[in-house]
Amino acid sequence: MVLLAVIAGFLAALTACEVAIRPAGMAARQAVTFLPVTQAGLIDRTAPVQQAPYSQEPVYRASADVAGPHVAFQIPFYLATPKEELAFFIGATPGLQEIRLNDRVLQPNVPRDTLRGATDGRAFFYMLPPALLQPGANHIEVLVETQSGLLALAPFHIGPATEAARAAEMAALISTYVPVMAISFLVFATLLCLVTNWPPQDRQRIRSLMLLLAIWALRTWFISFPTPVELPFLVTSFIYYALEVSLIFALARNLLAGEAALEDWRKGLGWLWLAIICYLVAVTLAGFVVGPAVREWFKALAWANSLLLAVLAVIGLSLLAWGVATRRDGRWLERLALMVCLLALSIDALDSILAVSIPLGKGVPLTFYAAAPVGLLLGLGVIASIAREASEARRTVVQSNQILAGRLAEQDAELARSYDAQKQMLQRHTMLEERQRIVRDMHDGIGGQLLGLLMQVRSGGADAPVVEQGLQASIADLRLIVDSMDSAEGGLAETLRSFEHRARPQVEAAGMAFSVEHGLPDDQPGPGPRPALQILRVLQEALTNALRHSGGTRISLASAVAPEGAVTITLADNGRGLPAEVKGGRGLASMQNRAAAVGGTLAIASSDGGTVLSLTIPDPATSPPA
């Protein structure tokens, strides 16, 4: 169905174009007469008049072997009464030189459109001046020259100038303007393929597509526009057939591109193309020696090309139609354009080998190269296909980004849930550790003190002052545990303020003055609950010793930060110094051990003028919390 639809659409468009480039009422005559023209450009009216029959190429054919390379076709017509706004329309005629009306020149003997390439020329119309027309018989003479053995006069029409102008404009559009656009789009598509960063699996196909686009653009230019210099017939034929052969093999290469199973066929096509090009070179060189006889060799090459193209058309159209119908790779526009191109090449090849134009309708033969304007569809199809692939790639990227963003959001949510779970686990772990620490501290401190008192009470050796002193020590230790928990997160400065708050009533109750100098910043981090408790126990033990044994009148507490970050806490009194039993007792050894437990050092200086206890601990910001 796809193939039938493409063929029907292509033939309908081709027929519409042929109708558009013909004036209304245009009809072919059975034949026209012609006379030879001398080297001086004069019509030899003494020569016998010869007939140029109409053939379905469609042209009026005359042989240069009989009439010479330069003839004047005779076109008689009859007017009952001369009318205004009449024009002579003539189709694309190669080698058109001069046009005369009733022996008066309409278009002078200056080559109007010889073009010297493979093109058949262009369609023109010429106004018929009323002053040159006469009632009754009139005649137009068209002077034509040739480089080959064929003298051809294209179909013509004498009628209203508006119809002739419309047909000529449409012919110029199809044979000139559309090919210009086709070449532009083909070149643009080639450059677009060249600058696009293709994935590795597409690069072989794109290279074959670029080759096809480039050759199609060259062929379109050669058959549609004049060459910069006048080319001999053999050179023109060589270029034309070289482009034809290359285009056929470029199409075949493009169809096979990307098919790994057909790689050997692709290489075989390359060798076959090289063999045909070598044959073409040999024929062209031989033509300069043997002369016109080489035309038959070119005909053999034309048949060979047509046979190759027929095979390619049957296989290629089927594969492309199947690809359009079944494949979902976004290349359906490119495949449709390639199908139309194959049809156009097949029509042109059939027209060339049969020397008969394809009838598109009653009295409407094919008169122009179908493949030239069709190149516009190829360029547009490739550009549209690339644009669609780019759009699909962008859509895929956007969808992938959306999917990735969704997955990242899910992973973030999962990580957040995992983080919350870990945080709760860590909080429970911390809580358990804190409980264990409190239990340990209470067991080691308060528990040990209370147990000692209990044993003394049971043994009957504890009197009321001893019990009271033990209970006070337990209460003080309990307060230290509470202080270490309350002020641990507030930092070391807050811990020392809590100690000051607890110690001041004790010092003042003993009749001593208590001075405090806090030198720690408020943002000084704390060492953690357990180290804080060890520090407080050292200070509490030092304070207890000062209250019991110093006999002084003042106790001072100071803290400061050393330049290297270490923290120094000093507790001093102005008493008589520590007694011997205290210096050698377990209290000072316990204080030393507690200082070492937090990574610090304890220094005690005692004299008749008082005692100074200095506790130095490392920077809490760089020490891991205990």
Side-chain angles (χ1 to χ4, degrees), residues 347-373:
I347 290 289
D348 289 346
L350 189 60
D351 182 33
S352 298
I353 62 173
L354 296 181
V356 175
S357 258
I358 308 302
L360 301 172
K362 186 177 180 179
V364 185
L366 181 64
T367 60
F368 61 86
Y369 283 103

Side-chain angles (χ1 to χ4, degrees), residues 300-318:
L301 184 60
W303 276 98
N305 285 352
S306 300
L307 180 61
L308 289 173
L309 186 58
V311 175
L312 177 63
V314 172
I315 299 175
L317 289 173
S318 302

Side-chain angles (χ1 to χ4, degrees), residues 135 147 169 194 200 261 363 365 395 406 410 460 538 548 550 587:
Q147 296 184 63
E169 289 175 358
L194 183 63
R395 185 178 295 110
E410 293 177 0
V538 171
R548 289 180 179 178
S550 69

Side-chain angles (χ1 to χ4, degrees), residues 29 31-37 42-45 47-52 60 62 70-77 88 98 100-103 138-144 153 156 158:
R29 303 183 183 187
V32 296
T33 60
F34 65 90
L35 292 171
V37 177
L42 301 176
I43 300 174
D44 186 2
R45 301 189 185 278
V49 177
Q50 301 183 59
Q51 293 283 328
Y60 298 91
H70 197 176
V71 299
F73 290 97
Q74 309 291 312
I75 304 175
F77 64 99
F88 173 64
E98 184 175 279
R100 301 176 184 178
L101 171 61
N102 295 331
D103 299 324
N138 295 269
H139 67 276
I140 291 176
E141 295 171 319
V142 181
L143 280 65
V144 176
L153 177 67
F156 55 85
I158 299 172

Side-chain angles (χ1 to χ4, degrees), residues 128-139:
L128 301 181
L132 300 182
L133 294 173
Q134 56 192 17
N138 295 269
H139 67 276

Side-chain angles (χ1 to χ4, degrees), residues 193 196-207 389 393:
C193 291
T196 303
N197 186 17
W198 298 96
Q201 61 270 23
D202 287 340
R203 288 174 185 172
Q204 186 184 81
R205 177 180 65 86
I206 294 301
R207 284 194 293 266
E389 289 187 24

Side-chain angles (χ1 to χ4, degrees), residues 281-357:
V281 171
V283 169
T284 303
L285 295 176
F288 289 102
V289 179
V290 302
V294 80
R295 294 172 189 164
E296 297 300 323
W297 299 353
F298 277 113
K299 288 182 180 179
L301 184 60
W303 276 98
N305 285 352
S306 300
L307 180 61
L308 289 173
L309 186 58
V311 175
L312 177 63
V314 172
I315 299 175
L317 289 173
S318 302
L319 291 176
L320 290 170
W322 179 258
V324 172
T326 61
R327 294 193 176 183
R328 296 294 179 267
D329 53 4
R331 293 175 50 209
W332 61 273
L333 287 173
E334 179 185 329
R335 291 190 177 97
L336 287 176
L338 287 172
M339 291 177 68
V340 174
C341 290
L342 264 176
L343 288 172
L345 281 179
S346 301
I347 290 289
D348 289 346
L350 189 60
D351 182 33
S352 298
I353 62 173
L354 296 181
V356 175
S357 258

Side-chain angles (χ1 to χ4, degrees), residues 99-455:
I99 297 177
R100 301 176 184 178
L101 171 61
N102 295 331
D103 299 324
R104 302 291 295 274
V105 175
L106 287 179
Q107 189 264 318
N109 188 16
V110 175
R112 181 61 187 270
D113 193 27
T114 56
L115 297 188
R116 306 303 182 195
T119 182
D120 288 336
R122 298 175 187 169
F124 292 101
F125 77 98
Y126 303 91
M127 296 297 297
L128 301 181
L132 300 182
L133 294 173
Q134 56 192 17
N138 295 269
H139 67 276
I140 291 176
E141 295 171 319
V142 181
L143 280 65
V144 176
E145 71 168 3
T146 185
Q147 296 184 63
S148 64
L150 173 65
L151 289 156
L153 177 67
F156 55 85
H157 178 67
I158 299 172
T162 54
E163 278 295 313
R166 180 196 60 77
E169 289 175 358
M170 290 303 299
L173 175 65
I174 294 173
S175 63
T176 302
Y177 302 126
V178 173
V180 168
M181 291 188 291
I183 293 171
S184 300
F185 277 96
L186 288 169
V187 172
F188 178 75
T190 304
L191 295 176
L192 189 60
C193 291
L194 183 63
V195 300
T196 303
N197 186 17
W198 298 96
Q201 61 270 23
D202 287 340
R203 288 174 185 172
Q204 186 184 81
R205 177 180 65 86
I206 294 301
R207 284 194 293 266
S208 66
L209 183 60
M210 291 170 57
L211 179 65
L212 174 62
L213 294 172
I215 295 176
W216 201 290
L218 287 173
R219 181 183 183 275
T220 300
W221 170 80
F222 187 72
I223 65 176
S224 302
F225 303 103
T227 55
V229 295
E230 183 175 348
L231 299 176
F233 172 77
L234 286 172
V235 176
T236 299
S237 299
F238 172 80
I239 297 176
Y240 174 78
Y241 283 110
L243 290 174
E244 288 288 305
V245 172
S246 300
L247 191 57
I248 292 172
F249 281 90
L251 269 169
R253 180 185 177 91
N254 181 256
L255 291 175
L256 298 178
E259 304 291 342
L262 301 176
E263 182 67 20
D264 292 339
W265 282 89
R266 193 172 66 87
K267 293 180 179 179
L269 284 175
W271 286 108
L272 183 57
W273 171 84
L274 183 60
I276 294 177
I277 291 297
C278 291
Y279 172 81
L280 180 58
V281 171
V283 169
T284 303
L285 295 176
F288 289 102
V289 179
V290 302
V294 80
R295 294 172 189 164
E296 297 300 323
W297 299 353
F298 277 113
K299 288 182 180 179
L301 184 60
W303 276 98
N305 285 352
S306 300
L307 180 61
L308 289 173
L309 186 58
V311 175
L312 177 63
V314 172
I315 299 175
L317 289 173
S318 302
L319 291 176
L320 290 170
W322 179 258
V324 172
T326 61
R327 294 193 176 183
R328 296 294 179 267
D329 53 4
R331 293 175 50 209
W332 61 273
L333 287 173
E334 179 185 329
R335 291 190 177 97
L336 287 176
L338 287 172
M339 291 177 68
V340 174
C341 290
L342 264 176
L343 288 172
L345 281 179
S346 301
I347 290 289
D348 289 346
L350 189 60
D351 182 33
S352 298
I353 62 173
L354 296 181
V356 175
S357 258
I358 308 302
L360 301 172
K362 186 177 180 179
V364 185
L366 181 64
T367 60
F368 61 86
Y369 283 103
V374 164
L376 177 61
L377 295 179
L378 177 59
L380 287 173
V382 172
I383 293 172
S385 180
I386 294 175
R388 189 182 185 283
E389 289 187 24
S391 177
E392 288 294 330
R394 175 172 174 78
R395 185 178 295 110
T396 302
V397 170
V398 171
Q399 291 175 351
S400 300
N401 287 338
Q402 292 175 348
I403 294 173
L404 182 59
R407 291 181 178 177
L408 287 175
E410 293 177 0
Q411 291 181 358
D412 287 343
E414 183 65 26
L415 288 174
R417 290 191 294 269
S418 176
Y419 174 76
D420 291 339
Q422 291 180 357
K423 184 177 180 180
Q424 292 176 3
M425 292 178 62
L426 180 62
Q427 289 176 347
R428 286 195 294 269
H429 181 70
T430 303
M431 184 181 300
L432 290 174
E433 285 188 342
E434 188 64 18
R435 287 177 180 176
Q436 292 176 358
R437 184 187 69 81
I438 294 174
V439 170
R440 215 169 31 244
D441 289 341
M442 294 184 70
H443 177 271
D444 295 343
I446 300 175
Q449 294 174 3
L450 293 177
L451 181 62
L453 288 175
L454 178 62
M455 295 300 293

